[in-house]
């Protein structure tokens, strides 16, 4: 598995962990935490939403109800 793929998986797992702890995450906070462009965070959130793991909201994501 490529290094980039591993970074994506680790970042997405951390996003899910933060979401489980707080109930919501914000794109701006994640962008700073991971030192990546906002489009990377956006792509992660979209991917995780399609997988049924969270719900996108403006500026971030929340846990599924």
């Amino acid at each position: 598995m490529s290094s980039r793929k591993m970074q994506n998986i680790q970042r997405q797992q951390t996003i899910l962990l933060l979401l489980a702890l707080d109930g919501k995450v914000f794109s701006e906070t994640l962008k700073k935490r991971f030192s990546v462009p906002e489009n990377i965070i956006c792509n992660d959130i979209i991917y995780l939403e399609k997988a049924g793991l969270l719900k996108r909201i403006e500026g971030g994501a929340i846990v599924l109800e």
Side-chain angles (χ1 to χ4, degrees):
M1 186 175 296
S2 73
S3 175
R4 180 175 288 179
K5 181 77 171 166
M6 285 298 295
Q7 289 173 342
N8 290 348
I9 291 169
Q10 290 172 337
R11 193 176 53 251
Q12 291 165 2
Q13 288 176 336
T14 302
I15 290 170
L16 292 173
L17 177 63
L18 294 169
L19 195 57
L21 292 171
D22 296 334
K24 63 186 173 222
V25 292
F26 297 100
S27 299
E28 187 65 29
T29 305
L30 295 172
K31 180 178 90 167
K32 290 176 184 173
R33 179 185 183 102
F34 298 115
S35 299
V36 296
E38 190 163 354
N39 68 313
I40 299 291
I41 298 301
C42 242
N43 291 340
D44 286 340
I45 290 174
I46 290 168
Y47 175 82
L48 294 169
E49 182 181 49
K50 286 181 180 177
L53 299 171
L54 55 75
K55 177 171 176 43
R56 279 188 304 154
I57 59 168
E58 185 175 339
I62 57 173
V63 294
L64 287 174
E65 295 181 2

